[in-house]
Amino acid sequence: MRSPTRISSPQPPYPHGRSPGVHYRNPYEELADLADPYDPDDPLGLGLGLTSDDDDDADAGGRGDGQAAAATGSGSGGGERWSPPNHRRSSRRRRGRFRAVPRTAKALIGLVVLALLLVLGDRCAVMYAERKAEQELQKRLNLATAPNVTIHGFPFVTQLLGKDLQQVDIAVPDVAADRVSIAEVRAQAQDIRIVGDLPSSFRGATVGRMKGDVLLSFEDLSRELGASQVRFRALGPSSVRADGKLPVAGQQVSLHAQAHIRRQGDRGISTSVTDMRLDIPGIATYRPGPEPRAGLYLHKKAAQQISEDSEKAKALLAIPSVAKKLGVSPVEAGKALNDERKLDEITDSPRFVPALLAVNLVQAANDHPQLARKLGIDPTVAAALARLKVPELTDKLELSFQLPEKAKGIRLANIGVSPEGIRADLTGAGLHYGKNR
């Protein structure tokens, strides 16, 4: 039986199996053809250089390519040869259909950029005008520190051309006002009419109305008036408490006082000092001023200790004027000096300590230095306290001030005390700065 004969396919006589007349392309070249070509008239690929003629050419080119491909594909083998799809026609049609959108966007972008440039220029003009105003105010008002000027309203250029500003805020720190300095002045000026041209020929301005406030800081008052280590703090809506140390005859005594704030006219603040006292710690208090409250008086604790100390009690009873103020007759005082039982009877009486607290020791300390020393009081300090006068002491606590003369037309109102210091409102209308013509 004959074995079947294997019929093998004839090998093409051409290398790599390619037939003559058939062109094979590199697949990477086919991928490159899928990308849009670079157009120098339209580098961003927005389709701005494409017209309807281009679309027609693209359609014709697409059809021609297809027909050429069909013609090329009909060869030996009898089938249509595959050709890569042409995406160029559809993409160009889409870009051509919406070619008006980018132009509108460009117009909008141009308007936005122009508006930003105008706003930037307007703000630069505002900053320049503010800086010039700060320099001019510092120069004309003789200020130690340049103020902070803020011009409101937009646009500024139209206000400048019209010579009429809507609102200007001014903040001035450290304004000298008599013995004290105003920590901060804040003002809001409205309806400002400019005289002259900014910034070259500015001559003055007229302010329609103005409001603001001033602050006398407790911190500044303590630094400027507290050379004796006195510190100020709020005590009530119109009162200030002063506490600190005061050197007297080489010793430190404690100072305590109250200052009541009130308005003085329309442009000033005045104070009245009350309840002032100087304490020798743990021993006595000196109250300056006229009788009957003025004088040197023992603390209650010190008076109780004297009632329990026989030597100090005898020292008091040995002075007839003091014994008389204690309500002890000279006969009883003489007996107490030699009889401990009589001394205890006097000092244990419930009337002794209250009577001792009411005794003014100024004269006794001056006339009898030994008595002052027995009671723990330095006679030199007692004498120096007696020489202190009320005006001299109140001057150390003087919180009064007046608005500067150059701030004409401005009035003070609603004066009060806050935790930060003494505050007052500022008001004014029809204010003139510089030349108003």
Side-chain angles (χ1 to χ4, degrees), residues 248-251 280 365-366 369 372-373 377-387:
V248 176
Q251 293 191 18
I280 301 174
N366 290 335
R373 289 191 180 92
I377 302 173
D378 187 338
T380 305
V381 174
L385 290 174
R387 289 193 297 267

Side-chain angles (χ1 to χ4, degrees), residues 115 117-134 149-169 189 192-194 196-200 202 205:
L117 291 176
L118 292 176
V119 171
L120 181 61
D122 189 83
R123 294 300 92 188
C124 290
V126 168
M127 289 188 291
Y128 178 77
E130 290 174 346
R131 186 171 65 254
K132 296 295 289 185
E134 292 170 354
V149 177
T150 303
I151 301 176
H152 295 272
F154 181 81
F156 167 71
V157 175
T158 57
Q159 299 182 70
L160 189 62
L161 294 176
K163 299 183 179 181
D164 192 1
L165 302 181
Q166 299 176 9
Q167 177 178 324
V168 176
D169 293 346
I192 305 166
R193 188 67 183 173
I194 300 174
D197 297 323
L198 287 177
S200 58
F202 173 76

Side-chain angles (χ1 to χ4, degrees), residues 348-365:
D348 290 342
S349 171
R351 296 177 301 175
F352 182 78
V353 171
L356 185 55
L357 292 175
V359 175
N360 186 352
L361 298 175
V362 170
Q363 192 65 38

